[in-house]
Amino acid sequence: MTPEQNKRAVTEAWKAFASRDPKRIQAVFTEDAEWLAPKGNATAVALGVPDHMIGPATIAHFLVDAFPRLFVADIDVAFSHLHCDGDTVILEERMQATLASGRHYDNDYCFVFELREGLIARVREYMDTQKGRAAIFG
């Protein structure tokens, strides 16, 4: 696939994530897809979910059922950079939201998407873990 097609696959996947439709979300991943976040990150700890998710159903469950329990309102995701090299797409973004505690969440993220035939095979997620912990746990 071309770099533009790969970038489009990632931006379309993000729309699928926002839809909270499990079937639509699962459709953007390979059967053996993985999503890796920093060990012990505040979101995983607060929700009691793994920081290494395997399989489209597990990833969709996180996005549809777990994520909305913590990030409850005013979710705003703003992309700042989107880069592609071969089948690797790097997305930088800022996410803001209201947490279940009522506190404001504001953090920058970097996602590295590894694609296979237009589908996401692996996501590596990076964020300021200290900033996330301070917002979520006070």
Side-chain angles (χ1 to χ4, degrees), residues 35-66:
W35 189 307
L36 298 97
K39 286 230 178 275
N41 72 79
T43 301
V45 171
L47 293 170
V49 298
D51 48 51
H52 182 182
M53 297 176 281
I54 301 172
T58 301
I59 296 167
H61 172 74
F62 169 75
L63 294 170
V64 172
D65 298 316

PDB file of all heavy atoms in Angstrom, residues 35-66:
ATOM      1  N   TRP A  35      -1.917  -4.473  20.957  1.00  0.00           N
ATOM      2  CA  TRP A  35      -1.869  -3.065  21.356  1.00  0.00           C
ATOM      3  C   TRP A  35      -1.041  -3.022  22.636  1.00  0.00           C
ATOM      4  O   TRP A  35      -1.420  -3.590  23.654  1.00  0.00           O
ATOM      5  CB  TRP A  35      -3.271  -2.534  21.605  1.00  0.00           C
ATOM      6  CG  TRP A  35      -3.363  -1.053  21.825  1.00  0.00           C
ATOM      7  CD1 TRP A  35      -2.653  -0.299  22.734  1.00  0.00           C
ATOM      8  CD2 TRP A  35      -4.213  -0.144  21.139  1.00  0.00           C
ATOM      9  NE1 TRP A  35      -3.027   1.017  22.642  1.00  0.00           N
ATOM     10  CE2 TRP A  35      -3.990   1.147  21.664  1.00  0.00           C
ATOM     11  CE3 TRP A  35      -5.160  -0.292  20.123  1.00  0.00           C
ATOM     12  CZ2 TRP A  35      -4.670   2.267  21.222  1.00  0.00           C
ATOM     13  CZ3 TRP A  35      -5.838   0.826  19.678  1.00  0.00           C
ATOM     14  CH2 TRP A  35      -5.598   2.100  20.216  1.00  0.00           C
ATOM     15  N   LEU A  36       0.102  -2.335  22.572  1.00  0.00           N
ATOM     16  CA  LEU A  36       1.015  -2.272  23.703  1.00  0.00           C
ATOM     17  C   LEU A  36       1.112  -0.839  24.209  1.00  0.00           C
ATOM     18  O   LEU A  36       1.386   0.070  23.432  1.00  0.00           O
ATOM     19  CB  LEU A  36       2.413  -2.731  23.288  1.00  0.00           C
ATOM     20  CG  LEU A  36       2.514  -4.171  22.803  1.00  0.00           C
ATOM     21  CD1 LEU A  36       2.466  -4.220  21.292  1.00  0.00           C
ATOM     22  CD2 LEU A  36       3.798  -4.775  23.294  1.00  0.00           C
ATOM     23  N   ALA A  37       0.879  -0.669  25.499  1.00  0.00           N
ATOM     24  CA  ALA A  37       1.010   0.628  26.158  1.00  0.00           C
ATOM     25  C   ALA A  37       2.068   0.482  27.248  1.00  0.00           C
ATOM     26  O   ALA A  37       2.425  -0.634  27.625  1.00  0.00           O
ATOM     27  CB  ALA A  37      -0.333   1.060  26.747  1.00  0.00           C
ATOM     28  N   PRO A  38       2.564   1.590  27.784  1.00  0.00           N
ATOM     29  CA  PRO A  38       3.569   1.482  28.848  1.00  0.00           C
ATOM     30  C   PRO A  38       3.059   0.666  30.035  1.00  0.00           C
ATOM     31  O   PRO A  38       1.903   0.805  30.443  1.00  0.00           O
ATOM     32  CB  PRO A  38       3.808   2.945  29.253  1.00  0.00           C
ATOM     33  CG  PRO A  38       3.485   3.724  28.025  1.00  0.00           C
ATOM     34  CD  PRO A  38       2.330   2.989  27.398  1.00  0.00           C
ATOM     35  N   LYS A  39       3.943  -0.165  30.563  1.00  0.00           N
ATOM     36  CA  LYS A  39       3.589  -0.989  31.733  1.00  0.00           C
ATOM     37  C   LYS A  39       3.148  -0.100  32.889  1.00  0.00           C
ATOM     38  O   LYS A  39       3.746   0.935  33.153  1.00  0.00           O
ATOM     39  CB  LYS A  39       4.787  -1.816  32.171  1.00  0.00           C
ATOM     40  CG  LYS A  39       5.089  -2.958  31.258  1.00  0.00           C
ATOM     41  CD  LYS A  39       5.250  -4.217  32.069  1.00  0.00           C
ATOM     42  CE  LYS A  39       5.520  -5.400  31.174  1.00  0.00           C
ATOM     43  NZ  LYS A  39       4.325  -6.007  30.662  1.00  0.00           N
ATOM     44  N   GLY A  40       2.061  -0.504  33.524  1.00  0.00           N
ATOM     45  CA  GLY A  40       1.573   0.219  34.690  1.00  0.00           C
ATOM     46  C   GLY A  40       1.043   1.610  34.395  1.00  0.00           C
ATOM     47  O   GLY A  40       0.951   2.429  35.306  1.00  0.00           O
ATOM     48  N   ASN A  41       0.662   1.887  33.146  1.00  0.00           N
ATOM     49  CA  ASN A  41       0.127   3.219  32.847  1.00  0.00           C
ATOM     50  C   ASN A  41      -1.174   3.433  33.619  1.00  0.00           C
ATOM     51  O   ASN A  41      -1.886   2.496  33.964  1.00  0.00           O
ATOM     52  CB  ASN A  41      -0.041   3.427  31.337  1.00  0.00           C
ATOM     53  CG  ASN A  41      -1.188   2.648  30.745  1.00  0.00           C
ATOM     54  OD1 ASN A  41      -2.337   3.042  30.851  1.00  0.00           O
ATOM     55  ND2 ASN A  41      -0.875   1.518  30.111  1.00  0.00           N
ATOM     56  N   ALA A  42      -1.465   4.685  33.913  1.00  0.00           N
ATOM     57  CA  ALA A  42      -2.579   5.031  34.803  1.00  0.00           C
ATOM     58  C   ALA A  42      -3.929   4.543  34.291  1.00  0.00           C
ATOM     59  O   ALA A  42      -4.768   4.111  35.083  1.00  0.00           O
ATOM     60  CB  ALA A  42      -2.610   6.537  35.036  1.00  0.00           C
ATOM     61  N   THR A  43      -4.152   4.603  32.986  1.00  0.00           N
ATOM     62  CA  THR A  43      -5.435   4.145  32.431  1.00  0.00           C
ATOM     63  C   THR A  43      -5.626   2.662  32.700  1.00  0.00           C
ATOM     64  O   THR A  43      -6.683   2.234  33.181  1.00  0.00           O
ATOM     65  CB  THR A  43      -5.513   4.443  30.925  1.00  0.00           C
ATOM     66  OG1 THR A  43      -5.381   5.853  30.722  1.00  0.00           O
ATOM     67  CG2 THR A  43      -6.822   3.957  30.328  1.00  0.00           C
ATOM     68  N   ALA A  44      -4.606   1.856  32.402  1.00  0.00           N
ATOM     69  CA  ALA A  44      -4.708   0.412  32.619  1.00  0.00           C
ATOM     70  C   ALA A  44      -4.902   0.098  34.100  1.00  0.00           C
ATOM     71  O   ALA A  44      -5.734  -0.746  34.460  1.00  0.00           O
ATOM     72  CB  ALA A  44      -3.469  -0.289  32.076  1.00  0.00           C
ATOM     73  N   VAL A  45      -4.171   0.786  34.953  1.00  0.00           N
ATOM     74  CA  VAL A  45      -4.282   0.547  36.396  1.00  0.00           C
ATOM     75  C   VAL A  45      -5.673   0.933  36.895  1.00  0.00           C
ATOM     76  O   VAL A  45      -6.327   0.169  37.606  1.00  0.00           O
ATOM     77  CB  VAL A  45      -3.186   1.314  37.170  1.00  0.00           C
ATOM     78  CG1 VAL A  45      -3.433   1.257  38.666  1.00  0.00           C
ATOM     79  CG2 VAL A  45      -1.809   0.749  36.824  1.00  0.00           C
ATOM     80  N   ALA A  46      -6.139   2.115  36.503  1.00  0.00           N
ATOM     81  CA  ALA A  46      -7.447   2.595  36.970  1.00  0.00           C
ATOM     82  C   ALA A  46      -8.586   1.692  36.522  1.00  0.00           C
ATOM     83  O   ALA A  46      -9.558   1.500  37.248  1.00  0.00           O
ATOM     84  CB  ALA A  46      -7.680   4.022  36.481  1.00  0.00           C
ATOM     85  N   LEU A  47      -8.462   1.142  35.326  1.00  0.00           N
ATOM     86  CA  LEU A  47      -9.536   0.312  34.783  1.00  0.00           C
ATOM     87  C   LEU A  47      -9.336  -1.182  35.043  1.00  0.00           C
ATOM     88  O   LEU A  47     -10.231  -1.981  34.767  1.00  0.00           O
ATOM     89  CB  LEU A  47      -9.667   0.550  33.272  1.00  0.00           C
ATOM     90  CG  LEU A  47     -10.154   1.942  32.885  1.00  0.00           C
ATOM     91  CD1 LEU A  47     -10.014   2.156  31.376  1.00  0.00           C
ATOM     92  CD2 LEU A  47     -11.603   2.135  33.325  1.00  0.00           C
ATOM     93  N   GLY A  48      -8.170  -1.559  35.537  1.00  0.00           N
ATOM     94  CA  GLY A  48      -7.896  -2.972  35.773  1.00  0.00           C
ATOM     95  C   GLY A  48      -7.817  -3.776  34.493  1.00  0.00           C
ATOM     96  O   GLY A  48      -8.276  -4.917  34.438  1.00  0.00           O
ATOM     97  N   VAL A  49      -7.239  -3.159  33.462  1.00  0.00           N
ATOM     98  CA  VAL A  49      -7.098  -3.827  32.163  1.00  0.00           C
ATOM     99  C   VAL A  49      -5.613  -4.019  31.870  1.00  0.00           C
ATOM    100  O   VAL A  49      -4.765  -3.321  32.422  1.00  0.00           O
ATOM    101  CB  VAL A  49      -7.777  -3.023  31.025  1.00  0.00           C
ATOM    102  CG1 VAL A  49      -9.280  -2.900  31.271  1.00  0.00           C
ATOM    103  CG2 VAL A  49      -7.146  -1.654  30.848  1.00  0.00           C
ATOM    104  N   PRO A  50      -5.288  -4.950  30.982  1.00  0.00           N
ATOM    105  CA  PRO A  50      -3.868  -5.158  30.659  1.00  0.00           C
ATOM    106  C   PRO A  50      -3.296  -4.008  29.833  1.00  0.00           C
ATOM    107  O   PRO A  50      -4.021  -3.328  29.108  1.00  0.00           O
ATOM    108  CB  PRO A  50      -3.887  -6.456  29.842  1.00  0.00           C
ATOM    109  CG  PRO A  50      -5.264  -6.574  29.307  1.00  0.00           C
ATOM    110  CD  PRO A  50      -6.167  -5.882  30.292  1.00  0.00           C
ATOM    111  N   ASP A  51      -1.979  -3.821  29.947  1.00  0.00           N
ATOM    112  CA  ASP A  51      -1.319  -2.819  29.117  1.00  0.00           C
ATOM    113  C   ASP A  51      -0.848  -3.421  27.799  1.00  0.00           C
ATOM    114  O   ASP A  51      -0.323  -2.726  26.950  1.00  0.00           O
ATOM    115  CB  ASP A  51      -0.145  -2.168  29.864  1.00  0.00           C
ATOM    116  CG  ASP A  51       0.751  -3.180  30.528  1.00  0.00           C
ATOM    117  OD1 ASP A  51       1.178  -4.140  29.861  1.00  0.00           O
ATOM    118  OD2 ASP A  51       1.021  -3.023  31.731  1.00  0.00           O
ATOM    119  N   HIS A  52      -1.045  -4.712  27.629  1.00  0.00           N
ATOM    120  CA  HIS A  52      -0.720  -5.415  26.385  1.00  0.00           C
ATOM    121  C   HIS A  52      -1.961  -6.227  26.001  1.00  0.00           C
ATOM    122  O   HIS A  52      -2.236  -7.263  26.590  1.00  0.00           O
ATOM    123  CB  HIS A  52       0.488  -6.328  26.581  1.00  0.00           C
ATOM    124  CG  HIS A  52       0.910  -7.045  25.336  1.00  0.00           C
ATOM    125  ND1 HIS A  52       1.950  -7.930  25.333  1.00  0.00           N
ATOM    126  CD2 HIS A  52       0.458  -7.010  24.063  1.00  0.00           C
ATOM    127  CE1 HIS A  52       2.118  -8.424  24.121  1.00  0.00           C
ATOM    128  NE2 HIS A  52       1.204  -7.874  23.338  1.00  0.00           N
ATOM    129  N   MET A  53      -2.699  -5.698  25.043  1.00  0.00           N
ATOM    130  CA  MET A  53      -3.929  -6.355  24.606  1.00  0.00           C
ATOM    131  C   MET A  53      -3.651  -7.138  23.328  1.00  0.00           C
ATOM    132  O   MET A  53      -2.951  -6.650  22.441  1.00  0.00           O
ATOM    133  CB  MET A  53      -5.030  -5.325  24.363  1.00  0.00           C
ATOM    134  CG  MET A  53      -5.414  -4.569  25.632  1.00  0.00           C
ATOM    135  SD  MET A  53      -6.633  -3.253  25.330  1.00  0.00           S
ATOM    136  CE  MET A  53      -5.571  -1.965  24.660  1.00  0.00           C
ATOM    137  N   ILE A  54      -4.213  -8.324  23.253  1.00  0.00           N
ATOM    138  CA  ILE A  54      -4.012  -9.185  22.087  1.00  0.00           C
ATOM    139  C   ILE A  54      -5.360  -9.572  21.512  1.00  0.00           C
ATOM    140  O   ILE A  54      -6.244 -10.045  22.223  1.00  0.00           O
ATOM    141  CB  ILE A  54      -3.208 -10.446  22.462  1.00  0.00           C
ATOM    142  CG1 ILE A  54      -1.843 -10.049  23.032  1.00  0.00           C
ATOM    143  CG2 ILE A  54      -3.047 -11.359  21.252  1.00  0.00           C
ATOM    144  CD1 ILE A  54      -1.041 -11.194  23.607  1.00  0.00           C
ATOM    145  N   GLY A  55      -5.506  -9.358  20.205  1.00  0.00           N
ATOM    146  CA  GLY A  55      -6.698  -9.755  19.468  1.00  0.00           C
ATOM    147  C   GLY A  55      -7.701  -8.636  19.313  1.00  0.00           C
ATOM    148  O   GLY A  55      -7.873  -7.807  20.216  1.00  0.00           O
ATOM    149  N   PRO A  56      -8.372  -8.600  18.166  1.00  0.00           N
ATOM    150  CA  PRO A  56      -9.344  -7.548  17.882  1.00  0.00           C
ATOM    151  C   PRO A  56     -10.477  -7.460  18.897  1.00  0.00           C
ATOM    152  O   PRO A  56     -10.903  -6.364  19.252  1.00  0.00           O
ATOM    153  CB  PRO A  56      -9.884  -7.909  16.497  1.00  0.00           C
ATOM    154  CG  PRO A  56      -8.870  -8.803  15.891  1.00  0.00           C
ATOM    155  CD  PRO A  56      -8.206  -9.512  17.027  1.00  0.00           C
ATOM    156  N   ALA A  57     -10.961  -8.588  19.392  1.00  0.00           N
ATOM    157  CA  ALA A  57     -12.075  -8.561  20.347  1.00  0.00           C
ATOM    158  C   ALA A  57     -11.650  -7.922  21.667  1.00  0.00           C
ATOM    159  O   ALA A  57     -12.401  -7.134  22.254  1.00  0.00           O
ATOM    160  CB  ALA A  57     -12.609  -9.969  20.584  1.00  0.00           C
ATOM    161  N   THR A  58     -10.449  -8.227  22.136  1.00  0.00           N
ATOM    162  CA  THR A  58      -9.943  -7.646  23.380  1.00  0.00           C
ATOM    163  C   THR A  58      -9.745  -6.145  23.233  1.00  0.00           C
ATOM    164  O   THR A  58     -10.106  -5.366  24.120  1.00  0.00           O
ATOM    165  CB  THR A  58      -8.621  -8.329  23.784  1.00  0.00           C
ATOM    166  OG1 THR A  58      -8.873  -9.725  23.957  1.00  0.00           O
ATOM    167  CG2 THR A  58      -8.050  -7.744  25.062  1.00  0.00           C
ATOM    168  N   ILE A  59      -9.179  -5.733  22.102  1.00  0.00           N
ATOM    169  CA  ILE A  59      -8.948  -4.311  21.851  1.00  0.00           C
ATOM    170  C   ILE A  59     -10.280  -3.574  21.754  1.00  0.00           C
ATOM    171  O   ILE A  59     -10.458  -2.510  22.351  1.00  0.00           O
ATOM    172  CB  ILE A  59      -8.090  -4.117  20.588  1.00  0.00           C
ATOM    173  CG1 ILE A  59      -6.690  -4.722  20.803  1.00  0.00           C
ATOM    174  CG2 ILE A  59      -7.999  -2.638  20.208  1.00  0.00           C
ATOM    175  CD1 ILE A  59      -5.865  -4.881  19.535  1.00  0.00           C
ATOM    176  N   ALA A  60     -11.226  -4.148  21.033  1.00  0.00           N
ATOM    177  CA  ALA A  60     -12.545  -3.517  20.899  1.00  0.00           C
ATOM    178  C   ALA A  60     -13.236  -3.426  22.260  1.00  0.00           C
ATOM    179  O   ALA A  60     -13.862  -2.405  22.571  1.00  0.00           O
ATOM    180  CB  ALA A  60     -13.410  -4.290  19.911  1.00  0.00           C
ATOM    181  N   HIS A  61     -13.119  -4.456  23.074  1.00  0.00           N
ATOM    182  CA  HIS A  61     -13.722  -4.428  24.414  1.00  0.00           C
ATOM    183  C   HIS A  61     -13.165  -3.248  25.215  1.00  0.00           C
ATOM    184  O   HIS A  61     -13.920  -2.529  25.885  1.00  0.00           O
ATOM    185  CB  HIS A  61     -13.477  -5.743  25.154  1.00  0.00           C
ATOM    186  CG  HIS A  61     -13.893  -5.703  26.581  1.00  0.00           C
ATOM    187  ND1 HIS A  61     -15.209  -5.724  26.985  1.00  0.00           N
ATOM    188  CD2 HIS A  61     -13.153  -5.586  27.717  1.00  0.00           C
ATOM    189  CE1 HIS A  61     -15.269  -5.634  28.299  1.00  0.00           C
ATOM    190  NE2 HIS A  61     -14.033  -5.552  28.760  1.00  0.00           N
ATOM    191  N   PHE A  62     -11.851  -3.035  25.144  1.00  0.00           N
ATOM    192  CA  PHE A  62     -11.256  -1.908  25.848  1.00  0.00           C
ATOM    193  C   PHE A  62     -11.847  -0.589  25.355  1.00  0.00           C
ATOM    194  O   PHE A  62     -12.262   0.251  26.156  1.00  0.00           O
ATOM    195  CB  PHE A  62      -9.729  -1.897  25.673  1.00  0.00           C
ATOM    196  CG  PHE A  62      -9.109  -0.620  26.161  1.00  0.00           C
ATOM    197  CD1 PHE A  62      -8.970  -0.380  27.522  1.00  0.00           C
ATOM    198  CD2 PHE A  62      -8.710   0.367  25.275  1.00  0.00           C
ATOM    199  CE1 PHE A  62      -8.428   0.810  27.983  1.00  0.00           C
ATOM    200  CE2 PHE A  62      -8.169   1.558  25.721  1.00  0.00           C
ATOM    201  CZ  PHE A  62      -8.026   1.783  27.081  1.00  0.00           C
ATOM    202  N   LEU A  63     -11.896  -0.402  24.048  1.00  0.00           N
ATOM    203  CA  LEU A  63     -12.356   0.877  23.486  1.00  0.00           C
ATOM    204  C   LEU A  63     -13.847   1.112  23.699  1.00  0.00           C
ATOM    205  O   LEU A  63     -14.281   2.250  23.884  1.00  0.00           O
ATOM    206  CB  LEU A  63     -12.012   0.940  21.997  1.00  0.00           C
ATOM    207  CG  LEU A  63     -10.511   0.987  21.682  1.00  0.00           C
ATOM    208  CD1 LEU A  63     -10.273   0.793  20.187  1.00  0.00           C
ATOM    209  CD2 LEU A  63      -9.903   2.287  22.179  1.00  0.00           C
ATOM    210  N   VAL A  64     -14.640   0.048  23.687  1.00  0.00           N
ATOM    211  CA  VAL A  64     -16.100   0.184  23.781  1.00  0.00           C
ATOM    212  C   VAL A  64     -16.592   0.162  25.228  1.00  0.00           C
ATOM    213  O   VAL A  64     -17.473   0.942  25.593  1.00  0.00           O
ATOM    214  CB  VAL A  64     -16.795  -0.940  22.974  1.00  0.00           C
ATOM    215  CG1 VAL A  64     -18.295  -0.945  23.194  1.00  0.00           C
ATOM    216  CG2 VAL A  64     -16.469  -0.790  21.488  1.00  0.00           C
ATOM    217  N   ASP A  65     -16.027  -0.719  26.046  1.00  0.00           N
ATOM    218  CA  ASP A  65     -16.556  -0.922  27.398  1.00  0.00           C
ATOM    219  C   ASP A  65     -15.710  -0.304  28.512  1.00  0.00           C
ATOM    220  O   ASP A  65     -16.255   0.271  29.457  1.00  0.00           O
ATOM    221  CB  ASP A  65     -16.727  -2.420  27.670  1.00  0.00           C
ATOM    222  CG  ASP A  65     -17.718  -3.068  26.716  1.00  0.00           C
ATOM    223  OD1 ASP A  65     -18.780  -2.467  26.479  1.00  0.00           O
ATOM    224  OD2 ASP A  65     -17.418  -4.154  26.188  1.00  0.00           O
ATOM    225  N   ALA A  66     -14.396  -0.440  28.437  1.00  0.00           N
ATOM    226  CA  ALA A  66     -13.542   0.024  29.538  1.00  0.00           C
ATOM    227  C   ALA A  66     -13.234   1.520  29.453  1.00  0.00           C
ATOM    228  O   ALA A  66     -13.452   2.252  30.427  1.00  0.00           O
ATOM    229  CB  ALA A  66     -12.247  -0.788  29.566  1.00  0.00           C
TER     230      ALA A  66
END
